[in-house]
Amino acid sequence: MRFTRQVLLLQIGVVVLVVGLGVALVAWLLRTTLTEQYGERALAIAKSVAADPVVIAGAAARQQGGPLQTRAQAVTKANEVLFVVITDDQGIRLAHPDPGSIGDRVSTSAKEALSGQDVVSAVQEGTLGLSVRSKTPIEQGDRVVGEVSVGFTVTELTGDVNRLIELTSLFAGGALLLGAGASALLNRRLRRVTHGLEPQELTELLYEREAVLHGIGEGVLALDAQQRVTVRNDEAERLLGTALPVGTPLAELDLSPRLQMAVAEGVPVDNLLAVAGNRVLVINSRAVRREERPLGTVLTFRDRTDLDTLTRELDGIRSLSDGLRAQRHEFANRLHTLSGLLQLGHHAEAEEYLQTLTETTGARAEPPGDQIADPYLRALLAAKSEQAQEKGMELRLADDSWVPAAVTDPVAAGTVIGNLVDNALHAARLGPRRPAAVEIGLLADGDTLHVSVVDSGPGVPEPLREKLFDEGVSTKLAPGHGLGLALARQAARAHDGEVWLADPGGGASGALFVAKLPGLLSTLEVP
């Protein structure tokens, strides 16, 4: 039997039990109340008879039959009671519905009434059958001279009780039908909410969900139709670097503005790169529907930080390798030319050619001198200088640059300096000034490295300055850009530093980016 049907039957059973108990309680209360009412009515009739002077005089004289019998029969007929019995102070009947019973002792105890007390609602068995009777003393002055007993038949009481119970049963039946209908509606609602799944199936789904959520290497974040967090795993919180309480709106999460806009519009997102804390994440987003009803959105996160770091290191090595390869090829050509001149005996031409080579070499960008002691920074600057020369630009090291210590985190330094220089070279190449140039300044202050990069380009447009460091924001027209500055700021903030856009001053039209990187230098100078 399906669980929903079990619930329905259980609810109907509970309703039947409650209604049955209610009807039984009401029947008992009704019977008790009616018994008391009949007893009070019988006592009132008995008191009126006991207060009759004829009855008082007859009881005192112990007169049997006669006026007492007449009075008792008249009261019996007028009030439609079962009996009115009058006795003397010894319990001997002086008046009775059955004349043959006059002179006999009453069948029930008259002790309480003869002692001067009223007896109310006593259901007793007498010569006339089971009845609800009340008794009251007949008093002459201070002396009890007899008692009056008045009774109603139990059949009459039972009839009234049955009529009230029938009426109550109608209401009980209506309540039972209403309860059964409500139970059926609740059962239908339960099936709709659970999509017809049984409890064991829901339990299995819960186990499977927990196993999937916490067993995969990707972060998973599920949002409902109102864009509030409903499901998340530990990996999602680790990658985003923040807690994700259930019920948190999407707008309060540290996610890319582009991603939040895509989720709000219900647009699928594939392999979107975003910066979260000190990580580079690849994010995918899918809207979830069931029977054309929107249920929410599921986001998945993959960590690309390590891959991105390796890629940047590989790009630096490739740039340096390309520069060295170009120099080797150029050097080989010059040696071949010089060798040919010497073999042909053109010594004067060879000497002039060597002089030309010396002058050309001196015109090339000088590698960093003693101003920069760290080998990683020297290699990075040499590689970027080669890149600039290949593009017909000049990369200069500021005259006031001075870094006598070693870099403790070459990757972070390469991320900040490399991205700032790459952006500056691109801006300088697009600028109107020639020759296009970029100047970089490196200055050590204790363990803090200060970086400044200024270019000869057109500068940053005013509308982009406030959101320039957001991922996806770029001055480049080609797609796939907009992460360089965000990564540079992320790497700086990982060392409690910062990267910002400054005013170059002096009426210059280029852009000046400044970075402060605390703790990035060793306190010992490089020998």
Side-chain angles (χ1 to χ4, degrees):
M1 184 182 297
R2 295 179 61 86
F3 176 73
T4 52
R5 184 166 298 175
Q6 295 178 19
V7 172
L8 177 61
L9 295 178
L10 178 60
Q11 290 172 338
I12 293 178
V14 171
V15 171
V16 171
L17 178 61
V18 171
V19 171
L21 291 176
V23 171
L25 179 60
V26 169
W28 178 79
L29 291 175
L30 288 175
R31 188 174 185 86
T32 302
T33 302
L34 287 176
T35 300
E36 293 176 354
Q37 290 178 353
Y38 271 90
E40 293 292 339
R41 182 180 173 188
L43 180 62
I45 296 173
K47 281 184 175 293
S48 66
V49 173
D52 191 339
V54 176
V55 174
I56 295 175
R62 297 181 179 177
Q63 180 183 1
Q64 297 181 359
L68 295 180
Q69 182 70 6
T70 302
R71 293 296 179 91
Q73 290 177 346
V75 171
T76 301
K77 183 176 180 180
N79 293 279
E80 297 181 351
V81 297
L82 178 62
F83 62 84
V84 175
V85 176
I86 303 173
T87 71
D88 59 13
D89 57 354
Q90 300 299 319
I92 302 300
R93 297 187 183 107
L94 301 179
H96 193 275
D98 181 11
S101 299
I102 297 176
D104 296 335
R105 186 176 297 276
V106 292
S107 58
T108 58
S109 174
K111 182 178 180 180
E112 293 182 359
L114 294 176
S115 64
Q117 299 179 5
D118 293 332
V119 178
V120 184
S121 301
V123 179
Q124 295 178 333
E125 179 74 29
T127 56
L128 298 178
L130 193 64
S131 62
V132 178
R133 62 186 65 189
S134 296
K135 300 177 182 180
T136 188
I138 302 174
E139 297 178 343
Q140 188 180 46
D142 296 333
R143 185 170 66 93
V144 177
V145 295
E147 59 97 11
V148 179
S149 177
V150 177
F152 285 91
T153 178
V154 173
T155 304
E156 184 177 355
L157 171 64
T158 304
D160 290 343
V161 172
N162 290 339
R163 284 191 295 273
L164 291 174
I165 290 178
E166 289 175 359
L167 184 60
T168 304
S169 298
L170 292 177
F171 285 100
L176 181 60
L177 292 177
L178 181 62
S183 299
L185 292 177
L186 181 60
N187 181 63
R188 182 179 178 183
R189 169 68 177 171
L190 181 62
R191 287 199 305 270
R192 185 166 64 251
V193 169
T194 60
H195 300 285
L197 297 177
E198 294 295 304
Q200 63 272 16
E201 295 175 325
L202 293 175
T203 303
E204 293 175 358
L205 284 177
L206 176 62
Y207 290 158
E208 292 173 0
R209 190 198 75 168
E210 292 299 314
V212 170
L213 282 179
H214 301 287
I216 61 177
E218 295 184 354
V220 178
L221 175 62
L223 307 172
D224 61 12
Q226 286 72 40
Q227 298 181 18
R228 295 172 300 192
V229 176
T230 56
V231 177
R232 77 278 185 267
N233 61 358
D234 298 336
E235 187 68 10
E237 292 185 336
R238 186 185 72 84
L239 293 177
L240 293 176
T242 182
L244 301 173
V246 174
T248 304
L250 176 67
E252 298 180 8
L253 300 180
D254 186 15
L255 295 179
S256 167
R258 290 184 300 168
L259 178 63
Q260 294 192 3
M261 184 179 300
V263 172
E265 296 175 353
V267 179
V269 176
D270 292 313
N271 300 326
L272 175 67
L273 294 181
V275 178
N278 59 349
R279 299 179 183 278
V280 179
L281 303 180
V282 180
I283 303 179
N284 293 278
S285 172
R286 288 292 183 274
V288 181
R289 293 179 175 271
R290 180 181 176 88
E291 299 176 355
E292 299 304 322
R293 183 168 65 94
L295 300 180
T297 306
V298 176
L299 306 175
T300 58
F301 308 89
R302 294 196 309 273
D303 191 358
R304 224 190 75 163
T305 305
D306 295 338
L307 178 60
D308 197 67
T309 300
L310 292 176
T311 301
R312 291 197 301 271
E313 292 181 351
L314 181 60
D315 289 341
I317 295 174
R318 183 181 294 113
S319 299
L320 183 58
S321 176
D322 291 342
L324 294 176
R325 187 181 300 109
Q327 289 184 7
R328 181 184 63 81
H329 183 72
E330 183 180 1
F331 185 69
N333 289 334
R334 291 172 178 177
L335 285 182
H336 291 159
T337 302
L338 183 59
S339 175
L341 290 174
L342 292 175
Q343 289 179 7
L344 295 175
H346 301 294
H347 297 95
E349 288 80 355
E351 182 178 355
E352 183 181 356
Y353 185 68
L354 282 174
Q355 183 65 29
T356 303
L357 290 180
T358 302
E359 293 176 357
T360 304
T361 303
R364 296 179 61 88
E366 293 287 342
D370 295 337
Q371 298 167 282
I372 308 299
D374 182 78
Y376 295 103
L377 293 180
R378 293 172 63 87
L380 178 63
L381 293 176
K384 294 302 179 182
S385 297
E386 292 294 335
Q387 287 184 7
Q389 288 187 352
E390 288 179 3
K391 297 177 182 179
M393 294 183 289
E394 180 183 2
L395 176 63
R396 299 190 300 265
L397 182 65
D399 295 336
D400 58 352
S401 297
W402 180 71
V403 182
V407 174
T408 58
D409 190 349
V411 175
T415 299
V416 175
I417 298 174
N419 281 297
L420 293 180
V421 170
D422 287 343
N423 283 351
L425 292 175
H426 177 79
R429 184 167 58 88
L430 297 179
R433 286 188 289 176
R434 291 294 180 270
V438 172
E439 182 177 275
I440 178 172
L442 301 174
L443 182 62
D445 182 13
D447 63 350
T448 302
L449 177 62
H450 296 273
V451 182
S452 64
V453 179
V454 62
D455 60 68
S456 60
V460 179
E462 186 66 30
L464 292 181
R465 293 190 177 186
E466 294 297 328
K467 53 183 179 178
L468 187 61
F469 290 91
D470 295 340
E471 64 269 16
V473 177
S474 176
T475 58
K476 302 180 179 67
L477 299 178
H481 297 282
L483 281 179
L485 291 177
L487 291 173
R489 172 170 280 184
Q490 166 228 308
R493 288 179 174 178
H495 288 269
D496 298 327
E498 187 56 271
V499 178
W500 66 93
L501 175 64
D503 184 3
S509 59
L512 171 61
F513 286 89
V514 181
K516 180 181 179 181
L517 306 174
L520 203 66
L521 296 178
S522 172
T523 57
L524 300 177
E525 294 187 359
V526 178

